[in-house]
Every structure is written in C-alpha cells, then in structure tokens.
Amino acid sequence: MADRHYILDVSAILDMWLDADVENNPTARLLEDAEVAGAKLWVGASALNTLDFVAVRRLKDLGAEPETARATVQQLMQQLLERVAVLSLPGHEQAALYAEARDFEDAQIAAGARSLRGGRVAIVTLDATFDTLGECEAMQPSEALARLQPATNATDAAIPFIDLAAQQRRIRPEIERRIETVLRHGKYIMGPEVGELEERLAAYTGSKHCISVSSGTDSLLIAMMALGIGRGDEVITTPFTFIATGEMIALLGAKPVFVDIDPATYNIAPENIEAAISPKTRAIMPVSLYGQCADFDAINAIAEKHGLPVIEDGAQSFGATYKGRKSCALSTLGSTSFFPSKPLGGYGDGGALFTDDDHLAKAMREIRVHGQDRRYHHPVIGVNGRMDTLQAAIVLPKLEVFPEEVHLRQQAGERYNQLLLATDGHGQTRMEEQEPNIGVHPCSSVAITPFTAPGCTHVYAQYTLRVQDREAVQARLQQAGIPTAVHYPVPLYRQPAFADLGYAPEAFPNAEEASEQVMSLPMHPYITESEQQAVINALLAG
Ligand SMILES: *Cc1c(COP(=O)(O)O)cnc(C)c1O
C-alpha cells in the first residue's frame, strides 16, 4: 500500500481540541481512521510549543482557571502524542530555513514534509494561506479525511515484497533520537550503543556472549577463524543457502562439504551428515533456512560423537525457537545478520555472533579488531569486523519491537497457509480434499505450503512455497502487481565459483528439486490480511 503521511498543523489540532462536537470533528476522525487506512500522522516538533501556548491561552479566554487550563492541555497533548509521531528537523535544515522562508513556522513543517520524501505527504491545516514551499499539498482536515477512504480498500495497489517503511512509520522518532545521540557523543567506533546492543541480544537469545560484527558474512568468517579453520580443512554444510555460507569456508582455504537437504524443511538432513565426516572435518555449519531452525538435537548429537563444533548460520532465523530455545543459542556458535531485509534488519550491514564459550568469545572479540588483544599488539591475524555505533543505534529500537514483530510474522505465515489451503481457484473450500505431500504436510491444488517441524517456531524470513511451472506462476503474480523471489535458483554446488570442487548435481536430488520449485511471496510483519488474500487470489487464478 502506498505510503501516506499527514502532518497536522496547529490550527487543525486546536480546531479539534476546542470543538464542542468532537465526535464529528474531521481532525478527530482522521486520528481515529488513519491507522487502519495505512496512513501515518505527524506533528512538527516546532509546532508543539505554539500549540501548548495557544491552547492554554484560548482555554483561559473561554473562562477556565489557569491551573485547569494547564492540566487540560497537558492531558490533550498526551492523548495526541499517543497517536501522532513527532517530526523533528536536523539543525542544518533549521538554519537553511531562515534564508528561504516567508513564515518560519510554516517552513519548519514544510521542511519536515521534505524529510518524508518517498511517500505521499500532505499538510493538514485550516490556514488557506499555508506556505508549503512547494514541498507538498496543504489541505483542510475534511479533505484529508475524504482522501483517506479509498486507501482502505485499495487491494489493487502494489504490494511490496518487504515493507520496511511500515516499521519505520512506527518507530521513527526513537530511531531519530538514537542517531542524534550518536551524533552528539561522536563515538562512532565501538561507542556505548554497541555494548548495549550486545547485552540485549545476548539476553534475548539466552547466550552468555554476544559479539556484534560488520555483517552476517563476516560473522561466519570470524567464527571459523576463531575455531582455527583454514587450508586443507573441511566444513560440512548445506548447498541450499545463500552464497556466503559456502563462500566463507572457501575463503579460508577450507573445503565446503555439501550434504543434501530435508525436502520438507529445506534444512540440512542430519541423516546425511555422518557419511560426509572425514579426518579433515573441522566443523558442521547448518543453516536455519527461511526462518526455521535446523534439527539441532540430531546435529549436535553427531557433532558430539565426533568431537566437532557446530556453527548455526542463523542469518534468516533470528527470533525462531527450537524446542523452546532461541536460534543462535542452540550450538557451539550462532551467527546472524542485520542486513535490512532480515527479520531483525538495520539500515545497512551488521551481524552478531553468539556463544556460551568464554575462550571462543574472547578469540572472536580479538579477531574482530585485527587480532588485537591490547592496543597495537596482535597475537593473531584478524579482520576489521566491527559493527558501526550508528548501526547499533538503529538496531536497538528495532529490537524493542522485535518480539511483537516475530509474533506478527508467525501470524502472517499461518494466515497464508490457511488462505491457501481453504481456497482454490474457484473459491471452493478444498480442506477435505487436501493431499499429503510426501507424507509430511498438506498442500493446495497449486502449491505446497511451508512445513514447520514439531517443536519449532518459524519466523518466515521468507514465506516460501513449492510450485510446479514456477516461471508461469511468477509471471501471473507479476501481472497482478505481486512481486515474488526465488531463494535460491542455483544450489552452491552448481555455482561457477565452486566448479573446482567437482560436485555432481545428482548427489543432491532434494536440493535440485527445491531449487527448481521454490518461490517466495511478499512477507513482512505489517502485511495485511487483505493484501495476503490478494496474493493468494492471484496465485490461484491460473
Ligand atoms: C543473508 C545471509 C548471510 C549473509 O549476511 P550478510 O549480513 O548479508 O553478510 C549469510 N547466510 C545466510 C543464510 C543469509 O541469508
């Protein structure tokens, strides 16, 4: 759904506050209806002082005692700020405004509108002469309210594959506050936000140590360096993953030893691991793909028997649980990524490592800063793998809403399952006709839904189906304005970069079939039921 922003000016808010018939006041109704219509309301930070001052004076003019007027405005202000976000302006923009503005306060609001660029922005005001500096439209509250209506049933509006703006609308003031704090203290490398984030992430996962790093790729590299993995070693992993998993093994001069996946969960099949263990094996690296943990009890048991460490690549599964425990706290080491589109994403690159092992934690902290144990003293070779303070400052407020977002993701995933299984192309219920797929889970007439293994919760980093004739299905959805993606069309043993390993595709029948059939649908915590219904309708329309 298109991004809509309304910035309320002082006149519109005063009109609501002083209206005897507040039920029918258009600004009050805008406040009521904005959220379900997918619109975001703002008030300029600069307007709050004026609003406070003018409202108290007006109430006194109407005969209120000074104390009563103060208390009333205080209460009204609190109610307002529960529904409306505060739009602040960076200092340099404030300074520039003096040069260009006819009315300084109008100009501050107009500049606020400019900072929301990318969405449709309007200033809501009773002032017919409001100077928007040409940044956007100005309109009466009644008109803003009238425009809100079409958005409520705009099912034909484009559906984004991942909607990062919806989350930002929710927590932007807190993100701005955190960034502002970093700009003031100026500790851009390993500032206090980095330590704060590590503590909170460790507590969230239940790990003893968290080491933040520069990306999910670097975190895999640093984990393997801390384990001493290098030339001539072997690391057992899945071929059905993002390139980084196998790439970092190879970068260290080790060999990625691929074993086939479980066709239901798409994760490494534990029963295939033991046959791949050789005297050169130094670690097992399962990936918790799409947001569901691999089968760690089985994998850890094999690892223990052979004295091997287990590194979880949890770049997609942060927030998921396995038998009540959190992803990244299930084995020797856990690694995750804060790439913007991951379940816990930042506004740039970042990642984190988790372990209960004090020695590994110390080694990883040192490798992260050039193998340094004290200033300019380097016992081992390391990398520059730190997470930026600014990035930590951005992930912190995102972590605040993350548990709720995990819940919303799970609900959205289950809703897709139900919509898909309950409806077929002619709007008929097919539940009773469901056929089990390879004995494990139900499917609709056109697609096999994701399977969540018993004891697991899924965070749906991707909501991924299996379909026959994928290209045709993707084209049909694209026609209906619905984006899809394929994770991943080429398994790692088929990548040119790994050609020298000489793997035969026939050795991986499950990964082969999955790479030909999988297709991911739009997914994020704020996707609505009507958007999901539109996706499923388009999917079943063939
Ligand atoms: C995204 C991802 C990575 C790499 O994370 P970056 O932060 O992008 O470097 C590694 N493994 C998997 C499975 C991923 O999905």
Side-chain angles (χ1 to χ4, degrees), residues 215-217 220 241-242 244-245 287 313 315-316 337 339 342 349-350 488:
S215 73
T217 303
L220 296 173
T241 176
F242 180 61
T245 319
V287 177
D313 182 350
Q316 301 181 11
S337 160
F339 186 82
K342 307 282 169 161
D349 281 311
Y488 295 91

Side-chain angles (χ1 to χ4, degrees), residues 431-443:
M431 291 300 271
E432 68 283 357
E433 295 171 40
Q434 273 171 36
E435 288 193 14
N437 164 55
I438 42 181
V440 283
H441 59 117
C443 59

Side-chain angles (χ1 to χ4, degrees), residues 213-220 238 240-248 286-290 313-317 335-343 348-352 461-462 487-488:
V213 291
S214 42
S215 73
T217 303
D218 291 339
S219 68
L220 296 173
T238 165
F240 195 57
T241 176
F242 180 61
I243 184 75
T245 319
E247 183 187 30
M248 290 305 103
V287 177
S288 295
L289 202 72
Y290 300 152
D313 182 350
Q316 301 181 11
S317 58
S335 162
T336 198
S337 160
F338 305 127
F339 186 82
S341 60
K342 307 282 169 161
D349 281 311
Q462 310 297 345
H487 307 96
Y488 295 91

Side-chain angles (χ1 to χ4, degrees), residues 149-184:
Q149 309 309 337
T152 50
N153 50 14
T155 43
D156 54 350
I159 294 174
F161 190 69
I162 290 179
D163 184 355
L164 298 176
Q167 182 201 54
Q168 194 186 90
R169 280 198 292 275
R170 215 184 136 184
I171 59 170
R172 179 152 172 161
E174 192 51 23
I175 290 177
E176 286 183 3
R177 187 184 73 75
R178 285 284 192 171
I179 292 174
E180 185 65 31
T181 304
V182 177
L183 296 186
R184 284 186 193 170

Side-chain angles (χ1 to χ4, degrees), residues 283-299:
I284 304 172
M285 189 145 80
V287 177
S288 295
L289 202 72
Y290 300 152
Q292 170 171 222
C293 294
D295 187 359
F296 276 89
D297 277 357
I299 296 165

